[in-house]
Amino acid sequence: MTEQFIQQLVNGLMLGAIYALIALGYTMVYGVLRLINFAHGDVYMVGAYLAYYTSMQWVNRELINPYALLVIMLFVSMIGCSLLGLLIERVAYRPLREAPRISVLITAIGVSLLLEYGGLLVFKTAPPPSIAEEVRGAAMQTPLVLFGVAIDKGQLAVLSVTLVLMILLWQFVTNTQTGRAMRAVAHDFDTAALMGINVDRIVAITFLIGSALAGAGGMMNATALGTPLTTFYGLMPGVKAFVAAVLGGIGNIPGAVLGGIILGLAEAMVVFADPFIPGFELTGYKDAVTFVILIGVLLVKPSGIFGSPVEKV
Amino acid sequence: MKKAVWLTFFALALALGFGCKPAGESGNGSAAGTGSSGSGSTASSARREPEGPGNKVTGDVIKVGVIASLNGELKPWGEDSVRGIRMAVDEFNAAGGLDGKKVELVIEDTNSKPEVGKSATEKLVAEDGVIAVLGEIASGITQPAAEVCFRYGVPIISPGSTRVDITNIGANVFRVCFTDNFQGAALAKFAYEDLGLRRIAMLTDKKQPYSTGLSDVFRQAFTSFGGEIVDEQFYEGGSTQDFKPQLTNIKAKNPDGLFCSGYFNEVGPIARQKEIVGLNVPMIGGDGWDSAELLASGGSGIIGGYWSNHYSNLEDRPEVKRFIEEFKKRYGGPPATAMAPLGYDAALVLLDALKRAESLDSKSLMKAIAETKNLQAVSGTITIGPDGNAEKSILILQVTKEARDKPVKRIEFFRFEPKSN
């Protein structure tokens, strides 16, 4: 029972870490632009595809070290996605800087649809490919035994990479000139511009970082879970990460991380609770928990856990 | 406040879209799937005679309609079914046809949509005057098409619709594939008798009537043989990507086998994640596993698993070898899905019945199809039972490092009547 609980805890943490990575992109963009970037989940999808194509280039060559392959995949996904994020911002959102927010929101949905359906022309979808199990298995075959609980190395790797990326992000936001400028823009867009901050540059950097994190999430999830890829791969994780961002208080960076972890744990715990509450087939509702939480948050504390109670806009 | 209102709106929309609908659907789906299965095998007298008079052959051409998903999400399967049908008909015509009369196919695309399938069938039967219809592969499209055929009194043979209640529509509906009743029971028999498994856990896709139906039959059959279902966990196909929580629960129950009735999209990831949580038991599943990507996504977790299908390219029977050789000559490669041989077999049943029919009209043809006995077909030896279903053996396959479909055993047809719950 304890072992099962700890295993579920690890499951939930890993899931939560990925949600948190994606949620960071939502929350940072919302912070600077007050925009819910609906295309963010699709950037995650592109990240997964980039990892897939990279793995296909290398998987049959014995020369390459399996760990190196995973690192290369991670970097290709992150760099590819950050470029895509920059492009989306430049082409779709910057021309609408002065437009009403609803126009930008609709544009975001448009970009999302463009990536999902346009992606059908570019990416392999029939049959839906998945990153070969050997890619993960070669590096992560034997589980690590910790306090009598077998923990998969892949899960630990995902957790550590996520942790490192979050610490780097936090250092960047709090301790660098650009990070300070980013916080200033988030605080007050117009005044920051008046103070001599190049807001276009800051917005571009925000998209770059957020998209890179989504790319990392896409690569890690696709490799670890093996879900066959379609251009709609990012739909559900995107929606859940969005809920995580709202739960933590949209616009708040630690909030997004906390929200993601809570969602991940909630999903795992619903399944853990199933045997104790027979007759409800709880496990089938694992993915619906997210929406129950979202409705709960909006009813009780719409600003989220760390969100400021005063509406800024 | 504005933000809160917006977000509430989104929340509700999302909850409706992702949360509630699938659950409701699956409830209905499983009820429909299993509820009808009780009457699935009652004698032919219970099958209603179709309403219309049917069509007659006039002139020198025997027109046969084909409905298939040539576009949309079912395209790979739909295309394969048409290839198989066309091959059988071409061979028949090349051999002289029926006393000099040639069979002409009128092919309509259903676009993977039930409503298009319905109107396409309407056109074939009412405008083109076909004496029989071949198709569809998807149960959801065969259903409305078979209802149209029932109204006009035209026989229809489905190559690949496994849902049990399809043939209950009327005496004009036939199929050459197995039903999920037999598939679930045969898998249970194989797991119990051949693999010697006694404690099986099930992982079911709540959203797919196919999966809930197959799990239900498997549970009833496996327990009737004396085995125990130690746990059943659920997921939502298309939404769930992380199965580790469910698999962790299953592992705690210490089963000796894992039954996965869902589609390959989820079966591969389940196999991979089963390894991650340390659940090292063989997996068993149905024809939903059939995909070229199964090995890549499942990896070492899927190897050693067993599943059932209509046939395998690797099978050593002369019918299969000849079929694959001819198919390669014609289309430049082996069939990608089981729908090619099933399409071929559906056409074979029809052509065989044409030869035996007293006259060339829908009614005599229907009678002749119902009397099909021991027809040597690619997917097995076909006898059409009183319920319009093909009574034939099922092929159990094993996933190995080299191939996902190594033939292991054919299980002869037997009747299993699941109780509806």
Side-chain angles (χ1 to χ4, degrees):
Chain A
M1 183 56 71
T2 340
E3 189 189 337
Q4 194 185 347
F5 181 75
I6 295 176
Q7 181 68 57
Q8 294 292 24
L9 220 53
V10 175
N11 291 340
L13 269 180
M14 184 194 142
L15 197 58
I18 301 276
Y19 291 155
L21 268 186
I22 315 172
L24 281 170
Y26 274 113
T27 230
M28 287 167 66
V29 168
Y30 187 88
V32 294
L33 280 187
R34 301 286 178 272
L35 159 73
I36 295 166
N37 180 15
F38 275 101
H40 194 58
D42 303 300
V43 174
Y44 165 91
M45 173 272 289
V46 172
Y49 262 107
L50 288 176
Y52 164 72
Y53 285 114
T54 313
S55 74
M56 290 305 282
Q57 291 299 312
W58 293 91
V59 75
N60 291 323
R61 302 190 193 172
E62 308 238 322
L63 306 171
I64 191 153
N65 176 304
Y67 296 98
L69 174 60
L70 290 173
V71 173
I72 293 173
M73 284 161 65
L74 184 67
F75 276 101
V76 169
S77 291
M78 289 182 73
I79 293 168
C81 284
S82 55
L83 294 179
L84 178 66
L86 278 183
L87 183 74
I88 292 173
E89 194 273 328
R90 185 71 192 83
V91 175
Y93 301 144
R94 194 176 295 182
L96 295 172
R97 199 56 51 82
E98 303 303 322
R101 273 167 63 195
I102 189 77
S103 314
V104 191
L105 191 74
I106 292 169
T107 308
I109 295 173
V111 173
S112 167
L113 292 176
L114 179 74
L115 288 174
E116 283 164 12
Y117 290 92
L120 290 174
L121 298 172
V122 183
F123 297 129
K124 182 184 176 206
T125 53
S130 39
I131 295 176
E133 151 70 16
E134 294 88 69
V135 174
R136 188 196 72 85
M140 314 290 177
Q141 198 68 58
T142 48
L144 195 74
V145 180
L146 221 64
F147 309 115
V149 182
I151 297 173
D152 178 69
K153 280 186 198 157
Q155 282 182 298
L156 285 182
V158 168
L159 276 176
S160 349
V161 170
T162 310
L163 204 64
V164 168
L165 288 175
M166 282 170 186
I167 292 171
L168 285 179
L169 177 69
W170 189 245
Q171 287 300 323
F172 171 77
V173 172
T174 51
N175 287 343
T176 65
Q177 187 80 20
T178 316
R180 194 172 312 138
M182 195 181 278
R183 280 182 291 144
V185 172
H187 197 260
D188 192 323
F189 196 90
D190 295 326
T191 312
L194 288 174
M195 294 299 130
I197 292 173
N198 183 350
V199 285
D200 279 343
R201 181 172 155 266
I202 295 299
V203 170
I205 290 175
T206 308
F207 269 86
L208 185 143
I209 295 175
S211 304
L213 294 178
M219 176 269 162
M220 290 196 287
N221 229 9
T223 311
L225 303 182
T227 312
L229 304 178
T230 68
T231 53
F232 303 96
Y233 180 68
L235 206 59
M236 202 62 179
V239 165
K240 285 181 179 170
F242 169 66
V243 175
V246 172
L247 172 61
I250 194 151
N252 184 298
I253 288 177
V257 175
L258 185 70
I261 302 276
I262 291 178
L263 274 197
L265 286 176
E267 279 193 29
M269 286 308 139
V270 163
V271 177
F272 178 72
D274 175 64
F276 306 107
I277 315 170
F280 281 94
E281 297 179 0
L282 267 186
T283 58
Y285 296 99
K286 174 175 158 281
D287 295 85
V289 174
T290 307
F291 304 106
V292 176
I293 291 179
L294 177 59
I295 291 170
V297 169
L298 294 181
L299 287 177
V300 178
K301 197 168 186 303
S303 54
I305 298 172
F306 291 146
S308 51
V310 186
E311 183 71 24
K312 271 190 266 183
V313 190
Chain B
M1 203 50 224
K2 220 164 146 194
K3 184 164 82 175
V5 173
W6 263 108
L7 291 178
T8 314
F9 166 73
F10 278 127
L12 287 174
L14 294 174
L16 286 173
F18 295 97
C20 309
K21 195 167 129 236
E25 263 178 7
S26 73
N28 296 339
S30 67
T34 51
S36 53
S37 54
S39 54
S41 65
T42 33
S44 66
S45 58
R47 296 218 299 162
R48 293 181 302 154
E49 284 302 317
E51 290 158 1
N55 293 323
K56 276 189 178 59
V57 171
T58 49
D60 274 348
V61 208
I62 305 169
K63 276 191 184 174
V64 170
V66 176
I67 46 169
S69 301
L70 294 174
N71 281 295
E73 55 189 3
L74 299 172
K75 187 177 170 187
W77 294 270
E79 275 182 347
D80 254 5
S81 72
V82 172
R83 285 188 187 135
I85 291 171
R86 204 192 286 275
M87 188 171 136
V89 168
D90 284 355
E91 285 174 359
F92 181 80
N93 286 340
L98 187 71
D99 309 326
K101 285 193 170 73
K102 302 263 158 134
V103 171
E104 185 193 305
L105 293 175
V106 190
I107 299 169
E108 289 290 326
D109 180 10
T110 64
N111 209 2
S112 306
K113 290 190 177 81
E115 64 277 14
V116 183
K118 188 179 173 187
S119 54
T121 313
E122 196 99 34
K123 175 196 169 272
L124 286 173
V125 173
E127 287 176 30
D128 297 320
V130 300
I131 64 162
V133 176
L134 298 171
E136 232 273 349
I137 47 164
S139 299
I141 310 177
T142 306
Q143 168 105 28
E147 276 158 7
V148 170
C149 289
F150 180 80
R151 237 177 29 246
Y152 285 94
V154 170
I156 177 169
I157 309 176
S158 165
S161 300
T162 55
R163 204 173 78 199
V164 176
D165 57 355
I166 299 282
T167 42
N168 295 349
I169 291 170
N172 65 318
V173 191
F174 306 93
R175 74 178 118 207
V176 295
C177 56
F178 49 65
T179 67
D180 288 335
N181 271 357
F182 176 50
Q183 174 165 229
L187 283 166
K189 189 175 178 199
F190 180 76
Y192 188 85
E193 289 179 3
D194 296 81
L195 299 180
L197 302 179
R198 293 296 178 267
R199 298 166 50 80
I200 285 187
M202 306 203 291
L203 196 48
T204 304
D205 185 347
K206 225 176 153 57
K207 211 171 164 181
Q208 292 291 348
Y210 161 74
S211 178
T212 51
L214 192 58
S215 282
D216 190 49
V217 180
F218 184 86
R219 173 200 293 278
Q220 294 191 31
F222 193 67
T223 46
S224 81
F225 294 134
E228 190 193 349
I229 300 294
V230 293
D231 198 9
E232 182 173 16
Q233 302 271 310
F234 298 90
Y235 61 89
E236 256 184 55
S239 305
T240 312
Q241 300 183 340
D242 187 354
F243 303 89
K244 291 195 297 294
Q246 284 95 328
L247 291 164
T248 304
N249 273 10
I250 286 175
K251 191 192 166 201
K253 294 280 170 62
N254 213 0
D256 55 15
L258 177 64
F259 184 69
C260 289
S261 53
Y263 288 108
F264 61 90
N265 269 343
E266 279 82 26
V267 167
I270 288 171
R272 179 181 299 202
Q273 295 172 36
K274 157 178 103 65
E275 301 282 284
I276 294 181
V277 303
L279 178 68
N280 300 316
V281 297
M283 287 172 66
I284 301 158
D287 60 331
W289 284 25
D290 195 2
S291 159
E293 285 286 318
L294 188 68
L295 263 172
S297 75
S300 54
I302 198 86
I303 289 171
Y306 295 92
W307 57 294
S308 50
N309 205 356
H310 309 273
Y311 100 117
S312 155
N313 282 349
L314 306 174
E315 227 184 332
D316 208 19
R317 294 187 7 256
E319 291 89 0
V320 175
K321 286 190 156 163
R322 195 200 70 86
F323 172 78
I324 289 178
E325 211 163 287
E326 285 297 312
F327 195 90
K328 275 183 185 160
K329 257 187 234 156
R330 230 164 220 280
Y331 303 110
T337 75
M339 289 308 144
L342 287 178
Y344 185 88
D345 286 357
L348 218 56
V349 166
L350 180 76
L351 298 171
D352 173 69
L354 269 179
K355 284 186 230 158
R356 288 183 284 108
E358 283 163 21
S359 61
L360 289 180
D361 58 71
S362 297
K363 268 224 150 57
S364 326
L365 192 57
M366 206 180 308
K367 193 161 162 282
I369 297 172
E371 287 164 355
T372 302
K373 274 220 161 49
N374 295 328
L375 178 69
Q376 298 294 322
V378 182
S379 64
T381 307
I382 296 177
T383 296
I384 297 289
D387 49 6
N389 297 326
E391 292 179 354
K392 63 168 190 188
S393 58
I394 189 170
L395 184 63
I396 306 284
L397 304 164
Q398 187 179 27
V399 184
T400 64
K401 240 190 174 73
E402 293 76 33
R404 68 197 156 88
D405 53 351
K406 182 188 159 214
V408 174
K409 187 179 181 178
R410 270 199 174 265
I411 292 185
E412 289 308 314
F413 181 80
F414 63 92
R415 274 195 188 286
F416 181 78
E417 297 301 325
K419 287 187 276 297
S420 48
N421 45 10

